[in-house]
Amino acid sequence: MRKTQFLGLVLWRAGILIAGGYLLFLTLRVILRIADPMLEVGVALVLAGGFFVLASVVREQIEDARIARSYEE
């Protein structure tokens, strides 16, 4: 993969993550309207952190499966 293709892919994914995160944050603001703004931000950060932990675990599992498959061959 060329550097320009890789950069485009990274920017595309980053844009999707930013837009999705912002929409999730706005949704939480509507759901938690009765709460104070600090709670809204806290819940949004907890959910974002949980998403990143889940994504890293999935990524590690995929990499481990690829390594195991290459040893079997």
Side-chain angles (χ1 to χ4, degrees), residues 24-25 28 32 38-54:
L24 180 64
F25 180 73
L28 284 173
L32 299 173
M38 292 299 288
L39 180 62
E40 292 174 0
V41 172
V43 170
L45 290 175
V46 166
L47 290 175
F51 172 76
F52 283 119
V53 168
L54 178 66

Side-chain angles (χ1 to χ4, degrees), residues 5-6 18 21 26 31-32 37 44 47 51 54-55 58 66-67 70:
Q5 290 174 334
F6 179 73
I18 290 171
L26 288 180
I31 292 171
L32 299 173
L47 290 175
F51 172 76
L54 178 66
V58 169
R66 286 181 182 163
I67 292 171
S70 68

Side-chain angles (χ1 to χ4, degrees), residues 13-30:
R13 287 183 180 177
I16 288 175
L17 286 175
I18 290 171
Y22 183 68
L23 287 174
L24 180 64
F25 180 73
L26 288 180
T27 303
L28 284 173
R29 289 196 73 192
V30 169

Side-chain angles (χ1 to χ4, degrees), residues 1-13:
M1 183 179 295
R2 287 185 265 167
K3 290 181 182 180
T4 55
Q5 290 174 334
F6 179 73
L7 181 62
L9 188 61
V10 168
L11 290 174
W12 176 71
R13 287 183 180 177

